[in-house]
Amino acid sequence: MLDFVRNNRRLMLLLLLVLVFPSFVFFGVESYSRFMDSSHDAAKVGGRTITTQEVDNVLREQSERMRQMLGSAYDARQFEGPEARQAVLDQLILQRVVADEVAREHLTVSNERLYQAISSIPAIAQLPKKADGSVEDKAYLDLLASQGLTPEQFDARMRFDLATQQLGQSVGATAFMPKSLLDRLIAVRDQRREIQPLLLKPADYAGKVNADDTALKAYYESHRQAFSVPEQAKVEYLVLSADALAAGITVTPEQLKSYYDSNIARFRTEEQRRASHILVAAPKEAPADQRQAAKDKATRLLESLRKNPQSFADVARKESQDPGSAEKGGDLGFMGRGALVKPFEDAMFALQPGQISDVVETDYGYHIIRLDEVKASQTRPLEAVKGELEAELRKQLAAKAFTEQADAFGNMVYEQADSLKPAADKFKLKLQTADNVTRQPNPALGANNPLNNEKVLQALFSDDAIKNKRNTEAVQVGPETLVAARIAEYRPASVHPFDAVRDQVRSAYVAEQVAELARKDGEARLATLKQSGSADGFGTMVTVSRQQPAGLPAKALEAVMRADASKLPAVVGVDLGKDGYAIYRIAKVTQPAQVDAAQRQAEGQQLSQLAGQSELEAFFDSLKARSKVEVLKPAKTEAAAE
């Protein structure tokens, strides 16, 4: 069953797209209303356009996000080419049609569900908490502000996201897996067959092949492409990048000191106080008599603590109504200013270590606070953060230098197109070389080599670059990386002469012939065995199943398991190509005595999910049809035009 899931990844990705889209992370969402020249429209959904610029922006954001996540393992090629652009365009179209359906059906979620979803976002769950366990207001507002959002905007976006998920989940949940079909699928998967193999190996037929020059030359002429050498080039190239520029940048002590002073708040730790408290809960909206009773109880507890301060932790465990701290003896841990409601904070910062406050009233009830420890405000000195700041400043200066030099670099490699040396000298770059470069990426150069970039290769093998050996334009292969290249030596595609590849031709010819002889002999013997039913010549009996192939090639296993076993013994033949021909004698078919109930239930759920994904895909197709989706610039067509 897991194999079936793996073989249907497209459906799995589609479901994930809907259930997670839009995901609970903080990043910008493109506006749905752009008014641009129609020549830049990639698609229309219900009369509204998706522009090529929107596709470019999303592709760029995804590429940059992956670059930050993967670091040196990042491969920019996965975001290049028509396939990547088409995937993004399909994603944007799907977002539009789903958004239209959510609006059309007036789907929404309750305030309680919205609160639960927001609280579960890791970035929010990690924010400082108030005494009652809720998120501290200032920290929450600062987090949203850093993303350019107000609480109202974020609530609206989250509410829409949840409604969108609700749509996909409700459609996917309509599918189910019939018990009879599940039982049949499990039976087919778990069926075991006892077989005997008869292998006809190609090597056994080598003496029957006549590999004279006439036969070899005829084979060579009919397979010339197999002995060809693709066009190749020896290439010179320059890489202008922020990383390369950073290596040549020296950060002066004065720059470092100025940068430290302007960022000193990052290295300052404000005063932290560790306190314990006892809460007698009484919400502000509670009746007056209830709040008075809570206050009276807090007063009695305080009087007891004044007489026996050492009992504070025990009293907190027994009497405090703050579930987050009661079991810890009231301990709230270290906190700075702004983390708690003001009356509580004012009282805590007025205490000295070991002191117990008077009863403090807040909107949550009545508190008794004990200050346990104080950590004074500290500032890490420049020497302690020198390495960190130097690397950070060097990176910023390099990014600035790259921005300043990018245009000049592009102009120079264009204007002095016969050589890259002037640009190498001016920008102090290493002139690098690579040989055997072809139109297709070469893994031997390394995944991150710029000569494996599709745009660079396209420019490098243009007619002008080949004929006149001119520099390519400066091609951007990353957010802060430009590459210019030129062909120093060009070797057109050619075919090796027969005499140079005679041994290769002979090996290929003989391999083809012996495989063909094995196939013909095998088919003849198979026909005879079907008539006689003899077991002569077959090997040792082995048991195979779809889950336990016992070393059988995939093609052979499929033939054995699909063969008609209504009448036994049965024989089946399989052409294994260069590995010869195999005949299998099926002697017995069995089923497991019983199926593991837990495994059966899990597999039923998996298949139901796959059925739900199929329903979901059909639903999306219907939405697209109803929304009159029109693709104006398919990615492949656009790529070809470029």
Side-chain angles (χ1 to χ4, degrees):
M1 296 304 167
L2 292 177
D3 287 338
F4 185 66
V5 173
R6 284 193 290 269
N7 292 333
N8 288 270
R9 289 179 180 174
R10 183 169 179 268
L11 287 175
M12 294 294 290
L13 291 174
L14 184 63
L15 179 65
L16 289 175
L17 174 65
V18 174
L19 295 184
V20 180
F21 150 71
S23 57
F24 294 153
V25 293
F26 295 99
F27 57 83
V29 176
E30 288 295 318
S31 171
Y32 282 169
S33 54
R34 291 199 175 194
F35 298 92
M36 300 181 68
D37 185 344
S38 62
S39 64
H40 298 294
D41 295 344
K44 283 188 176 181
V45 179
R48 293 181 299 154
T49 61
I50 296 174
T51 67
T52 55
Q53 184 63 46
E54 286 181 84
V55 176
D56 290 339
N57 289 344
V58 174
L59 196 60
R60 191 180 304 110
E61 289 171 3
Q62 292 179 352
S63 177
E64 178 60 18
R65 196 173 303 119
M66 291 303 295
R67 187 184 70 82
Q68 293 175 357
M69 290 173 58
L70 299 179
S72 60
Y74 167 74
D75 183 0
R77 289 179 297 171
Q78 63 184 310
F79 296 100
E80 297 171 358
E83 291 80 7
R85 291 184 60 81
Q86 188 63 49
V88 169
L89 179 57
D90 292 343
Q91 176 186 347
L92 291 175
I93 290 173
L94 182 58
Q95 288 178 358
R96 292 286 181 87
V97 298
V98 171
D100 287 347
E101 183 66 10
V102 169
R104 185 182 297 113
E105 296 294 334
H106 305 291
L107 298 180
T108 187
V109 294
S110 66
N111 291 334
E112 291 76 14
R113 176 72 182 94
L114 177 65
Y115 176 77
Q116 291 174 359
I118 292 177
S119 300
S120 67
I121 298 174
I124 293 175
Q126 295 172 6
L127 293 176
K129 301 292 192 300
K130 299 177 182 177
D132 65 340
S134 62
V135 172
E136 199 276 317
D137 294 340
K138 184 176 182 301
Y140 179 67
L141 292 174
D142 288 345
L143 178 62
L144 294 186
S146 69
Q147 304 299 320
L149 294 171
T150 65
E152 292 75 17
Q153 291 171 330
F154 184 57
D155 285 357
R157 180 179 297 180
M158 286 291 296
R159 199 181 294 276
F160 179 79
D161 292 351
L162 292 169
T164 302
Q165 289 187 39
Q166 187 181 65
L167 178 65
Q169 291 169 342
S170 62
V171 173
T174 61
F176 68 96
M177 175 57 56
K179 178 179 180 299
S180 58
L181 178 57
L182 176 60
D183 290 341
R184 176 59 181 157
L185 290 172
I186 292 176
V188 169
R189 183 202 63 189
D190 292 346
Q191 186 185 89
R192 294 192 290 261
R193 296 192 171 194
E194 296 181 16
I195 62 170
Q196 293 174 275
L198 174 58
L199 305 178
L200 305 179
K201 300 178 181 179
D204 297 337
Y205 299 86
K208 299 180 180 181
V209 177
N210 179 22
D212 57 22
D213 274 3
T214 301
L216 294 182
K217 288 180 179 178
Y219 182 85
Y220 169 79
E221 290 298 331
S222 62
H223 295 80
R224 289 176 66 89
Q225 191 62 34
F227 306 103
S228 66
V229 179
E231 62 178 337
Q232 296 180 346
K234 183 176 182 180
V235 175
E236 298 175 344
Y237 64 101
L238 295 175
V239 179
L240 178 72
S241 67
D243 290 341
L245 294 173
I249 290 177
T250 300
V251 178
T252 66
E254 293 75 18
Q255 288 175 313
L256 196 61
K257 178 66 167 62
S258 175
Y259 189 65
Y260 171 77
D261 290 341
S262 63
N263 289 273
I264 196 168
R266 291 168 45 189
F267 309 108
R268 180 182 296 119
T269 302
E270 300 297 336
E271 179 182 305
Q272 298 281 307
R273 294 195 163 208
R274 181 178 180 182
S276 300
H277 84 135
I278 297 169
L279 169 66
V280 180
K284 66 177 181 178
E285 62 273 11
D289 59 342
Q290 183 178 333
R291 286 187 63 85
Q292 184 61 46
K295 183 177 182 180
D296 293 343
K297 179 179 179 180
T299 301
R300 290 194 298 273
L301 292 174
L302 177 61
E303 292 173 354
S304 173
L305 290 170
R306 296 286 189 208
K307 298 175 182 177
N308 186 14
Q310 291 76 18
S311 65
F312 192 99
D314 291 334
V315 173
R317 292 188 187 94
K318 296 177 182 177
E319 303 292 347
S320 180
Q321 294 173 306
D322 176 11
S325 66
E327 61 183 15
K328 295 183 290 186
D331 188 4
L332 294 172
F334 281 100
M335 296 166 289
R337 288 192 179 275
L340 299 166
V341 293
K342 194 172 187 309
F344 192 106
E345 180 181 288
D346 290 344
M348 181 179 71
F349 275 87
L351 297 174
Q352 296 297 319
Q355 281 188 330
I356 297 176
S357 71
D358 292 331
V359 173
V360 178
E361 181 180 2
T362 71
D363 289 345
Y364 308 104
Y366 297 90
H367 307 259
I368 303 171
I369 307 168
R370 183 186 69 189
L371 182 63
D372 298 324
E373 188 177 350
V374 176
K375 285 184 180 179
S377 173
Q378 293 181 340
T379 301
R380 295 168 67 190
L382 174 58
E383 287 302 317
V385 296
K386 182 177 180 180
E388 174 188 345
L389 285 186
E390 189 171 349
E392 192 174 303
L393 184 55
R394 183 179 290 109
K395 185 175 181 180
Q396 291 185 13
L397 293 173
K400 180 181 178 182
F402 174 82
T403 302
E404 294 171 346
Q405 297 181 25
D407 287 342
F409 177 78
N411 291 336
M412 176 166 278
V413 298
Y414 176 77
E415 293 167 357
Q416 301 187 38
D418 295 330
S419 174
L420 289 172
K421 191 173 186 308
D425 293 340
K426 178 176 180 179
F427 296 97
K428 297 181 175 57
L429 301 175
K430 179 182 178 182
L431 185 59
Q432 303 180 66
T433 61
D435 205 353
N436 302 322
V437 178
T438 67
R439 289 180 184 265
Q440 301 301 320
N442 182 358
L445 296 175
N448 293 321
N449 190 295
L451 296 183
N452 280 333
N453 182 277
E454 182 179 329
K455 294 179 182 178
V456 174
L457 289 174
Q458 186 177 357
L460 190 60
F461 283 93
S462 66
D463 291 341
D464 183 55
I466 292 174
K467 293 177 182 178
N468 301 314
K469 293 185 173 59
R470 293 184 178 276
N471 300 338
T472 69
E473 62 180 354
V475 180
Q476 185 167 358
V477 299
E480 295 176 338
T481 305
L482 292 175
V483 174
R486 66 181 294 272
I487 291 179
E489 180 184 328
Y490 177 73
R491 299 183 291 277
S494 62
V495 177
H496 289 299
F498 173 76
D499 290 337
V501 293
R502 179 191 296 271
D503 291 342
Q504 297 176 37
V505 173
R506 178 182 176 82
S507 296
Y509 174 74
V510 171
E512 180 183 274
Q513 293 300 307
V514 295
E516 180 63 14
L517 290 173
R519 183 188 65 79
K520 289 181 178 179
D521 190 17
E523 290 177 348
R525 295 182 68 172
L526 177 64
T528 300
L529 288 168
K530 284 183 177 180
Q531 294 294 327
S532 66
S534 172
D536 294 342
F538 284 97
T540 305
M541 191 80 70
V542 294
T543 300
V544 298
S545 70
R546 285 182 169 83
Q547 289 190 309
Q548 297 177 328
L552 259 65
K555 188 176 181 180
L557 179 66
E558 183 65 17
V560 167
M561 300 307 297
R562 290 175 66 91
D564 182 6
S566 57
K567 184 178 180 181
L568 298 177
V571 289
V572 61
V574 185
D575 181 7
L576 299 178
K578 63 181 180 63
D579 294 323
Y581 195 89
I583 302 174
Y584 297 96
R585 182 174 183 269
I586 304 170
K588 187 177 181 181
V589 177
T590 59
Q591 293 289 151
Q594 60 183 8
V595 179
D596 181 85
Q599 182 180 2
R600 183 184 185 282
Q601 181 180 5
E603 289 166 348
Q605 291 174 348
Q606 289 178 354
L607 290 173
S608 293
Q609 289 174 358
L610 288 174
Q613 292 159 25
S614 181
E615 293 284 347
L616 197 57
E617 188 173 39
F619 174 66
F620 288 151
D621 288 341
S622 70
L623 291 183
K624 291 176 183 178
R626 187 167 66 185
S627 298
K628 298 179 181 179
V629 173
E630 182 182 3
V631 178
L632 303 175
K633 277 191 177 182
K636 293 184 179 179
T637 302
E638 185 180 341
E642 294 175 355

